[in-house]
Amino acid sequence: DSGVTQTPKHLITATGQRVTLRCSPRSGDLSVYWYQQSLDQGLQFLIQYYNGEERAKGNILERFSAQQFPDLHSELNLSSLELGDSALYFCASSSAGGGGNEQFFGPGTRLTVL
Amino acid sequence: DAKTTQPPSMDCAEGRAANLPCNHSTISGNEYVYWYRQIHSQGPQYIIHGLKNNETNEMASLIITEDRKSSTLILPHATLRDTAVYYCIVRANSGGSNYKLTFGKGTLLTVNP
């Protein structure tokens, strides 16, 4: 158990809909990272937050957005969903905003868009 | 971040040492070598990381060549539960870089009974 929790574990929805994925980092960790894992693209970095502020952006679509709240939990919002958004979404946390600390991953949310 | 090259798959007998190679010939002086693994659809798990010295922890050992262009992850006594995809990742730990992890395709290690 990494100490990172993600909810829900599974999510099934239809095209065009909007969903919210939630992540609670390990106690004391200030940084949260979101990754997407699909069959054709592998594990890809989406976005990072550090202590409530966006720190880095990766290949995140404009239809996707994220935020980190004062209690440090983070939410990833996916809207206007398409079939291709079906994937595993992982959240990771680390204690620092930069390097030098390993990232601990949650169990993931499996999103299926029908 | 420097690109890494790993064999797509490897087999290992249970109880034997598993040696997973990684080439990172374009690694920069401030870049570390990280290893993660992912057991079928679970979240990736941190294993070990190092800069230039060999490192060992309770999970594995990391051997980095003197020129730092390649490394080997060693699982000393592989078990069936070590069957997973192992990712070698090179990443800077300072200098204002984006500290994301860039995952390649990794090596699928299959431990056989």
Side-chain angles (χ1 to χ4, degrees), chain A residues 67-84:
Chain A
Q67 53 185 329
Q68 186 179 27
F69 295 86
D71 67 352
L72 300 177
H73 91 272
S74 178
E75 293 181 356
L76 179 66
N77 301 296
L78 315 177
S79 62
S80 303
L81 285 168
E82 302 175 359
L83 295 177

Side-chain angles (χ1 to χ4, degrees), chain A residues 30-33 45-58 66 68 94-99, chain B residues 96-100:
Chain A
L30 299 178
S31 243
V32 169
Y33 301 76
F45 167 74
L46 294 179
I47 196 164
Q48 178 202 359
Y49 278 81
Y50 176 73
N51 204 20
E53 295 190 0
E54 183 183 303
R55 176 62 64 94
K57 248 181 178 178
Q68 186 179 27
S94 70
S95 59
Chain B
S97 303
N98 180 345
Y99 299 112
K100 67 179 181 181

Side-chain angles (χ1 to χ4, degrees), chain B residues 10-86:
Chain B
M10 293 183 65
D11 285 328
C12 177
E14 188 177 20
R16 303 298 294 270
N19 297 282
L20 292 94
C22 178
N23 286 320
H24 31 79
S25 58
T26 60
I27 192 169
S28 299
N30 67 337
E31 289 181 320
Y32 285 69
V33 180
Y34 281 79
W35 283 84
Y36 281 75
R37 73 180 183 183
Q38 186 176 25
I39 298 170
H40 184 61
S41 294
Q42 296 181 21
Q45 178 188 24
Y46 166 81
I47 301 173
I48 199 168
H49 76 282
L51 182 62
K52 53 184 177 182
N53 297 321
N54 297 339
E55 302 287 344
T56 295
N57 63 19
E58 64 279 4
M59 287 185 68
S61 295
L62 174 60
I63 309 297
I64 303 174
T65 58
E66 195 168 341
D67 62 7
R68 302 209 323 122
K69 292 184 177 182
S70 65
S71 60
T72 302
L73 178 75
I74 301 172
L75 308 178
H77 305 286
T79 71
L80 299 180
R81 289 186 296 179
D82 292 322
T83 293
V85 178
Y86 287 76

